[in-house]
Amino acid sequence: MHEESNVPSVFKAIAFLSLAILLVPMAVVVLAGLNSGDYLTFPPQGLSLRWIKAFLTSPTFLSAYGVSFVVALGATLVSTLFGTMAAVFLSRSSSGSVPVLRGFFMLPIVLPGVVLGLALYVFFVSSGVGLARTMPGLLIGHILVTCPFVIATVTASLVGFDRSLEEAARSLGAGPVTAFRLVTLKIIAPAISAGSIFAFIVSFGQFELTLFLTAPDLQTLPSAMYTSMRYKFEPTAAAAGIFAIALVVISMVVTSRLVNLKKIFER
Amino acid sequence: MAPAPRKAMSEPGLWWLCLPAAAVFVVFFVIPVASLFGLSFNKSVAGVISYSNELTFDNFVRIFTRATYYEAILRSIWIAAVVSVTSLAFGYPLAYLIAKTTHPGRNTLLMILVLSSMQLDMVIRLFGLMVLFGDNGLINGFLLYLGLISRPLPLMYNTFGVIVGLVQITLPFMVLSLIGIIKAIHPSLEEAARSLGASRLQAFFSIVLPLSMPGILAGALLVFALSISSYVVPALMGGWKVIVLPIHIYQQIAEVGRWQFGAAIAVVLFVTSVIAVAIYHQAAARTSGGRT
């Protein structure tokens, strides 16, 4: 703790203010979802489960939650498989194309979501493949933005991987695939889980990309919330938000047990 | 795969692992984005979405000669710049605190808080901000209740509201760009300055701040790129009164049906953020200075 006391108090004050900026809006969503009035005002009116109930019986929000869940699950499965395969290649190959490829796979998260969504929509419409505003089309968009997270997470864990472990297995008679499955895969399994959790959350919270990819009967949770906020501003959206916040916080706690968070996010 | 000797798991035989991901990216990313670029050079016809070989710069000429559009470009850049600076002012002290927190439990807790707020759906966080900053919101309600103001302050549906929203959303990215570089600065440098009589703040401003410059630059440009491309924040916190580039794109496509012109604005937005990201990567390369 002696190091922490080295932080100037002005810094501590601003740091706590920053934490407040990050966390207060989340707390407000929870309060708004549990508030008994129509709109969270000061002073608050008291607690009730009215909006939670409204959420659990709302056809719009429930089906949106379902769509988001299905899309996130599908995108996570595909991204985890394709992303892990690509990460193994990227960390093992000594080819000169590796740095280029690595940058290439990160592009979808660099491109503005609105632009990527628009590009996909225009592509789906003009090529006549019939994917515009359909579930598979939505899924494809989500795979593009979740795959980079799996690739980054798994590559990070493979960088420090000791190849001699795998070679030991091979020298004991295991085939390349068996050695990979029994040794490497076991060791990078936590990173794969972490990557797939990231993929799931990123997909679940994706809004700007889906702007042109959803349809009135195919709304994801963020797009249903957005519509409700622009036209009605009902606390049902906040109640839906409570479930999403719980999902994210639990996933982050689980991820922090699986991998060293800093290794992935610190540059 | 042929039974290759010994080096079977290494370089040459593995390229196929990359194929599925690369195929998806080429078909659904490279081709659509390239087509969007192509479309932006087609003549703009409302409601028509097909490619023609007649290329024209009309859309771009229109963007740079009509006040609504070039003012939106300038407004987008200005807002993104203000957000970068504000996000840095709030993010640096938090990153510094996390970098100096050695207690493992507390450190993980702070990381979880920052990462959760980064990963949580933006629309949900904006709901919280709108409840706080609206005319009947908690902040105005509180100030009215205390009798400090007689009319609600205009905190939302204006540029200020958009900046608040963007700072909230970009702050975690700023913090994460800074933690690593602050940590890499050896504490003995600061201690040396202190032992020579500098105060904690003096030591900070003469030693730590200059050494963390590459991270500051990298974080600021990342935040810039994120801010300039945000649609949902100006739409909700600006109430469609703060017109920036992504809002124009949406209007052109969803309301006017001018695909080619919308595509051209998207290209301008994309090029602007690519320039920011390119500078960011150079800054990042200098930051790592061979570490990667």
Side-chain angles (χ1 to χ4, degrees), chain B residues 201-282:
Chain B
L201 282 177
Q202 273 175 329
F204 170 77
F205 281 109
S206 54
I207 305 287
V208 184
L209 195 63
L211 285 175
S212 40
M213 220 46 209
I216 291 176
L217 201 60
L221 283 156
L222 177 61
V223 168
F224 182 92
L226 288 168
S227 306
I228 206 166
S229 57
S230 175
Y231 166 81
V232 66
V233 178
L236 289 174
M237 295 296 286
W240 290 70
K241 290 195 190 109
V242 183
I243 306 299
V244 290
L245 289 177
I247 303 258
H248 269 310
I249 298 176
Y250 186 78
Q251 283 179 334
Q252 289 300 324
I253 305 295
E255 286 163 23
V256 197
R258 285 177 170 273
W259 295 87
Q260 299 81 354
F261 190 59
I265 305 176
V267 168
V268 170
L269 171 64
F270 176 60
V271 170
T272 316
S273 66
V274 161
I275 293 173
V277 171
I279 303 173
Y280 159 72
H281 267 293
Q282 273 205 314

Side-chain angles (χ1 to χ4, degrees), chain A residues 1 4 18 111 208 262 267, chain B residues 90 106-107 231-232 270:
Chain A
M1 285 311 84
E4 254 167 272
S18 304
L111 193 70
E208 306 215 333
K262 284 203 204 97
R267 283 152 209 280
Chain B
F90 282 106
R106 231 184 272 195
N107 195 287
Y231 166 81
V232 66
F270 176 60

Side-chain angles (χ1 to χ4, degrees), chain A residues 13-85:
Chain A
I14 304 176
F16 285 113
L17 193 59
S18 304
L19 279 177
I21 295 176
L22 292 179
L23 304 174
V24 168
M26 283 156 90
V28 168
V29 171
V30 175
L31 282 180
L34 297 173
N35 183 46
S36 56
D38 284 339
Y39 188 80
L40 185 61
T41 49
F42 187 87
Q45 285 145 303
L47 298 174
S48 112
L49 291 178
R50 164 179 177 205
W51 299 113
I52 302 272
K53 222 176 270 170
F55 163 68
L56 293 174
T57 52
S58 151
T60 331
F61 279 111
L62 270 193
S63 80
Y65 211 93
V67 169
S68 274
F69 200 85
V70 170
V71 171
L73 205 63
T76 303
L77 286 175
V78 178
S79 292
T80 305
L81 181 64
F82 289 6
T84 305
M85 287 165 70

Side-chain angles (χ1 to χ4, degrees), chain B residues 150-235:
Chain B
S150 53
R151 268 180 304 137
L153 299 172
L155 301 173
M156 206 171 78
Y157 297 145
N158 52 28
T159 310
F160 176 78
V162 174
I163 290 172
V164 168
L166 287 172
V167 168
Q168 207 280 339
I169 276 162
T170 55
L171 195 53
F173 293 91
M174 178 61 88
V175 172
L176 291 170
S177 319
L178 288 170
I179 296 176
I181 189 128
I182 297 177
K183 224 175 205 172
I185 300 169
H186 205 279
S188 64
L189 292 172
E190 222 176 325
E191 277 157 29
R194 302 245 8 231
S195 71
L196 291 169
S199 75
R200 265 203 308 228
L201 282 177
Q202 273 175 329
F204 170 77
F205 281 109
S206 54
I207 305 287
V208 184
L209 195 63
L211 285 175
S212 40
M213 220 46 209
I216 291 176
L217 201 60
L221 283 156
L222 177 61
V223 168
F224 182 92
L226 288 168
S227 306
I228 206 166
S229 57
S230 175
Y231 166 81
V232 66
V233 178

Side-chain angles (χ1 to χ4, degrees), chain B:
Chain B
M1 217 173 38
R6 228 192 101 63
K7 284 188 84 186
M9 283 308 290
S10 72
E11 299 82 41
L14 283 175
W15 59 271
W16 61 273
L17 284 169
C18 217
L19 272 187
V24 170
F25 273 56
V26 168
V27 175
F28 294 113
F29 179 74
V30 177
I31 294 176
V33 172
S35 319
L36 192 72
F37 268 66
L39 191 68
S40 72
F41 290 99
N42 274 181
K43 196 171 158 14
S44 200
V45 185
V48 175
I49 172 172
S50 61
Y51 297 96
S52 80
N53 291 326
E54 282 175 58
L55 299 183
T56 159
F57 284 97
D58 284 1
N59 297 323
F60 293 97
V61 170
R62 196 174 142 167
I63 291 173
F64 289 104
T65 52
R66 294 259 181 119
T68 20
Y69 302 116
Y70 68 72
E71 276 172 9
I73 300 177
L74 295 177
R75 192 178 296 121
S76 295
I77 293 176
W78 182 78
I79 289 177
V82 172
V83 171
S84 304
V85 174
T86 317
S87 195
L88 174 67
F90 282 106
Y92 196 98
L94 182 55
Y96 190 81
L97 182 73
I98 296 177
K100 298 285 175 190
T101 302
T102 40
H103 185 274
R106 231 184 272 195
N107 195 287
T108 310
L109 175 70
L110 286 170
M111 282 302 278
I112 288 177
L113 290 179
V114 172
L115 286 175
S116 303
S117 59
M118 176 171 97
Q119 299 288 353
L120 181 68
D121 176 5
M122 285 183 195
V123 183
I124 295 173
R125 287 184 277 162
L126 289 170
F127 185 102
L129 283 179
M130 288 173 85
V131 171
L132 279 165
F133 283 80
D135 280 356
N136 312 315
L138 294 180
I139 293 177
N140 272 319
F142 183 66
L143 294 175
L144 285 168
Y145 181 81
L146 293 180
L148 289 174
I149 51 170
S150 53
R151 268 180 304 137
L153 299 172
L155 301 173
M156 206 171 78
Y157 297 145
N158 52 28
T159 310
F160 176 78
V162 174
I163 290 172
V164 168
L166 287 172
V167 168
Q168 207 280 339
I169 276 162
T170 55
L171 195 53
F173 293 91
M174 178 61 88
V175 172
L176 291 170
S177 319
L178 288 170
I179 296 176
I181 189 128
I182 297 177
K183 224 175 205 172
I185 300 169
H186 205 279
S188 64
L189 292 172
E190 222 176 325
E191 277 157 29
R194 302 245 8 231
S195 71
L196 291 169
S199 75
R200 265 203 308 228
L201 282 177
Q202 273 175 329
F204 170 77
F205 281 109
S206 54
I207 305 287
V208 184
L209 195 63
L211 285 175
S212 40
M213 220 46 209
I216 291 176
L217 201 60
L221 283 156
L222 177 61
V223 168
F224 182 92
L226 288 168
S227 306
I228 206 166
S229 57
S230 175
Y231 166 81
V232 66
V233 178
L236 289 174
M237 295 296 286
W240 290 70
K241 290 195 190 109
V242 183
I243 306 299
V244 290
L245 289 177
I247 303 258
H248 269 310
I249 298 176
Y250 186 78
Q251 283 179 334
Q252 289 300 324
I253 305 295
E255 286 163 23
V256 197
R258 285 177 170 273
W259 295 87
Q260 299 81 354
F261 190 59
I265 305 176
V267 168
V268 170
L269 171 64
F270 176 60
V271 170
T272 316
S273 66
V274 161
I275 293 173
V277 171
I279 303 173
Y280 159 72
H281 267 293
Q282 273 205 314
R286 243 179 302 154
T287 310
S288 56
R291 262 195 299 141
T292 35

